[in-house]
Amino acid sequence: MFELIRVGEKSYYINCPAKIGVYLADDKNVYLIDSGNDKDAGRKVRKIVSENGWRLKGIINTHSNADHIGGNKYLQQQTGCKIFAAGIEAAFTRYPILEPSFLYGGYPCKDLRHKFLLASESDVCEITDDDFPKELEVIPLRGHFFDMIGIRTPDNVVFLADCISSKSTLEKYQISFIYDVAEYLNTLNTVEAMEAAVFVPAHSDVINDITTIVQLNRQKVFDIANDIQSILKTPMCFEELLKRLFDEYRLTMNFEQYVLVGSTVRSYLSWLKDNGKLDVTFENNMLLWKSN
């Protein structure tokens, strides 16, 4: 874990739970693509940078989930590096309390205010900042989160952030986090059409041909949507639906899974309703979802 692996002339990644990209801009200066999940990850990354005689010039955050920005504050304090993020992701990185608040739908209780969902705040610039390395291609990858991006380096290595999950992850967790289902499917179409020397997803194996894993992720979305529609042939409230899905997929409910899976299921409901597949009715002061 935290092994530096070279994948191109100028591109590396650090193998850890959410892979960290490393772009060698010149003989001395490097940019990270994400920073790991916490201060300890930041320390390990800084050691790798130092051991190679490099200087950390900046961090590019693909999105603001805590496991991708958790090392920001430590690394910025230690090196003075700039941090870059896009749109809403920049706001969430400046004010990380937004992530658990958004997921929960209100002020999060202490059970949700921990490093898995709540990173330390860091000072962030937009990716339009003059100091952003212009030779890097920014690829919009919306869907998993608000304004998530990927990065293509000059040696044609593409860092894909969280837009695809491995087969083992899909089988273990079943319902991967998605904020906007329609945008996520658009992103999968975009990624499927891409060509690159190497693709580096944050939560799947490094790969040359992305087609099969993209198709697997897409089919999972359709399978979940079909299961939701099937369950909702009998009208029911959200909490009952969530329990049915947890039972069917043999998931275990806890606070983290409640907000992550719950938020995702709400996104599926919105997508299905917007596409005329579901409707709602209000009975006895309760919102009930039902299939059309």
Side-chain angles (χ1 to χ4, degrees):
M1 198 60 71
F2 284 87
E3 176 188 3
L4 181 68
I5 298 173
R6 190 168 194 167
V7 285
E9 182 183 351
K10 293 175 170 289
S11 300
Y12 304 73
Y13 71 90
I14 297 170
N15 196 23
C16 55
K19 293 184 183 70
I20 299 168
V22 181
Y23 167 60
L24 184 60
D26 53 44
D27 291 341
K28 285 290 183 183
N29 295 301
V30 296
Y31 291 84
L32 297 180
I33 301 168
D34 294 328
S35 65
N37 65 335
D38 58 13
K39 185 177 181 178
D40 186 53
R43 287 195 187 99
K44 293 174 180 176
V45 170
R46 189 182 177 212
K47 182 180 179 184
I48 290 170
V49 170
S50 177
E51 287 175 345
N52 282 275
W54 296 332
R55 182 171 76 96
L56 182 56
K57 185 76 171 176
I59 300 170
I60 302 162
N61 287 143
T62 59
H63 62 301
S64 57
N65 289 168
D67 59 332
H68 291 258
I69 68 169
N72 278 12
K73 185 173 183 177
Y74 170 82
L75 289 167
Q76 190 170 57
Q77 287 178 335
Q78 295 297 312
T79 69
C81 68
K82 273 196 166 184
I83 298 171
F84 306 92
I88 295 174
E89 307 301 337
F92 271 62
T93 305
R94 292 187 191 103
Y95 307 105
I97 190 64
L98 291 172
E99 181 174 354
S101 300
F102 150 71
L103 291 171
Y104 179 61
Y107 183 73
C109 55
K110 287 182 180 179
D111 306 74
L112 299 173
R113 301 197 311 269
H114 53 73
K115 71 176 185 179
F116 182 68
L117 297 176
L118 178 60
S120 297
E121 73 285 348
S122 48
D123 185 26
V124 185
C125 302
E126 289 282 345
I127 57 172
T128 53
D129 187 89
D130 288 341
D131 288 334
F132 184 87
K134 301 301 187 291
E135 68 272 21
L136 298 180
E137 178 188 351
V138 175
I139 306 168
L141 297 174
R142 297 182 182 90
H144 168 74
F145 221 50
F146 293 86
D147 288 320
M148 189 172 78
I149 60 170
I151 296 293
R152 186 189 296 269
T153 60
D155 48 2
N156 204 25
V157 175
V158 174
F159 293 89
L160 284 174
D162 285 8
C163 69
I164 58 172
S165 297
S166 67
K167 181 179 180 181
S168 61
T169 297
L170 292 174
E171 290 175 348
K172 180 178 180 179
Y173 295 104
Q174 295 292 331
I175 304 177
S176 298
F177 183 84
I178 299 174
Y179 166 63
D180 183 330
V181 178
E183 284 285 6
Y184 181 68
L185 291 172
N186 288 337
T187 284
L188 289 182
N189 292 339
T190 298
V191 171
E192 188 176 26
M194 284 183 188
E195 293 183 359
V198 180
F199 293 98
V200 184
H203 300 289
S204 186
D205 292 336
V206 173
I207 196 168
N208 301 105
D209 184 354
I210 204 73
T211 306
T212 300
I213 191 66
V214 167
Q215 291 173 349
L216 186 66
N217 278 258
R218 181 189 293 114
Q219 187 58 51
K220 192 63 177 175
V221 171
F222 293 142
D223 289 346
I224 291 167
N226 288 336
D227 286 344
I228 290 171
Q229 288 176 265
S230 179
I231 292 170
L232 292 178
K233 288 178 181 177
T234 301
M236 65 183 64
C237 68
F238 172 78
E239 295 290 341
E240 187 177 356
L241 169 63
L242 191 62
K243 173 182 166 41
R244 288 281 299 273
L245 289 169
F246 266 77
D247 290 346
E248 181 168 324
Y249 293 137
R250 298 181 180 178
L251 302 175
T252 301
M253 181 79 76
N254 57 34
F255 243 127
E256 292 168 2
Q257 289 302 302
Y258 176 80
V259 296
L260 290 169
V261 177
S263 178
T264 302
V265 171
R266 286 187 176 94
S267 295
Y268 273 95
L269 293 173
S270 294
W271 177 60
L272 289 167
K273 186 176 186 302
D274 288 348
N275 284 278
K277 303 292 181 63
L278 297 181
D279 205 347
V280 298
T281 182
F282 293 88
E283 297 180 12
N284 299 318
N285 287 330
M286 184 177 293
L287 188 159
L288 302 180
W289 293 90
K290 60 180 183 178
S291 295
N292 283 336

